Amino acid sequence: MTAFETAIKAAQLFSDKKGKDITVIKITDVSSLADYMVIATGNNSTHVKSLADEVEYALKEQGRVVDHIEGHRTESWVLLDYSDVIINVFSDEAREYYGLERLWQSGEAVDLNEYISD
């Protein structure tokens, strides 16, 4: 599974599980950190955790094992690091506070219209 396929699969899973404001940013040309950044918002702390758990489980079923997890004990954000793809799930407040879209604005936003429906 390529980095792009992993990012799109995560976006689709977020969409299926009612995640909000799903964004995929290609950061290959602007960072050595990863190839893609995936960002989504959950409705509350339980939803944030369940979105992260669902993505981790589904990607593991497809052979992608997460390298590192941050924030799983917090109530506002979870980061799943797959080396080439970094997946972030936030509460509304945490997403606004961290402003990842601003931080990665020099990356290339991936058009998700053909992959997910709102």
Side-chain angles (χ1 to χ4, degrees), residues 7-56:
I8 294 302
K9 181 65 175 177
Q12 290 168 332
L13 290 163
F14 287 145
S15 179
D16 291 347
K17 298 297 180 182
K18 308 298 183 211
K20 303 182 298 184
D21 301 324
I22 303 161
T23 303
V24 175
I25 305 169
K26 182 180 178 185
I27 60 172
T28 306
D29 298 332
V30 296
S31 176
S32 61
L33 189 63
D35 295 330
Y36 290 90
M37 180 79 57
V38 182
I39 307 166
T41 303
N43 295 320
N44 54 49
S45 60
T46 303
H47 193 217
V48 167
K49 289 179 183 180
S50 68
L51 288 170
D53 288 346
E54 179 65 26
V55 167
E56 181 185 5

Side-chain angles (χ1 to χ4, degrees), residues 47-105:
H47 193 217
V48 167
K49 289 179 183 180
S50 68
L51 288 170
D53 288 346
E54 179 65 26
V55 167
E56 181 185 5
Y57 174 79
L59 291 178
K60 186 175 183 180
E61 289 289 304
Q62 295 193 3
R64 291 296 311 254
V65 178
V66 67
D67 292 330
H68 187 74
I69 300 173
E70 287 288 335
H72 215 276
R73 292 191 178 115
T74 71
E75 295 188 8
S76 60
W77 67 276
V78 178
L79 178 146
L80 303 170
D81 184 350
Y82 287 88
S83 293
D84 55 356
V85 179
I86 298 174
I87 299 170
N88 301 274
V89 188
F90 290 105
S91 66
D92 284 317
E93 299 81 18
R95 185 162 181 173
E96 185 176 326
Y97 176 79
Y98 288 105
L100 290 185
E101 286 91 349
R102 286 188 313 273
L103 286 173
W104 296 106
Q105 66 186 347

